[in-house]
Amino acid sequence: MLDKVKKPAKKNTAFDIWWSALPLDIRQNNDLAFARRCFRAGHVVGAKPGKTKSTFRAGRLVVSVWATNSREAVKEATVELDYRVAKPEKRPRASGCRLTPATDA
């Protein structure tokens, strides 16, 4: 009884199902790691329909949030910033930090 060890069955992830559904020539011509990154990026965007990614900077901290409009994005970024600063090893600045939109440069 103890000598019959069963290996756990591998679960098919969404990526595995998608990858196996592609034609063979596409699978042979593309890198698996790159395809996995593209699949994850597409999945993230598809999982948040109607939302856009907004990036804000407060001092040295950069906060990225998904929101439907800019007002909601500022609220979510403020909550995330407060959460990050509330960690025990972080000390909030005495003057506070102003939340400004970060530009991709």
Side-chain angles (χ1 to χ4, degrees):
M1 182 178 207
L2 293 176
D3 57 348
K4 294 182 181 179
V5 178
K6 290 185 178 179
K7 292 182 181 179
K10 183 183 174 190
K11 295 180 181 176
N12 281 342
T13 61
F15 172 77
D16 293 331
I17 295 167
W18 174 76
W19 184 251
S20 63
L22 290 176
L24 184 61
D25 59 334
I26 293 176
R27 284 186 278 161
Q28 289 175 343
N29 292 336
N30 291 311
D31 181 31
L32 184 64
F34 178 72
R36 189 176 299 275
R37 287 193 305 267
C38 291
F39 179 82
R40 286 182 182 162
H43 182 69
V44 167
V45 171
K48 297 172 176 45
K51 293 186 177 185
T52 56
K53 187 174 183 180
S54 303
T55 307
F56 297 95
R57 180 177 290 278
R60 284 188 253 156
L61 294 173
V62 177
V63 180
S64 297
V65 294
W66 288 88
T68 55
N69 57 30
S70 60
R71 182 175 291 168
E72 183 182 327
V74 170
K75 287 180 185 178
E76 289 185 25
T78 304
V79 170
E80 177 66 23
L81 182 65
D82 290 342
Y83 171 74
R84 289 186 187 181
V85 173
K87 291 182 180 178
E89 66 270 5
K90 299 281 184 178
R91 234 181 39 201
R93 295 174 58 177
S95 63
C97 289
R98 205 172 86 208
L99 203 62
T100 58
T103 58
D104 293 331

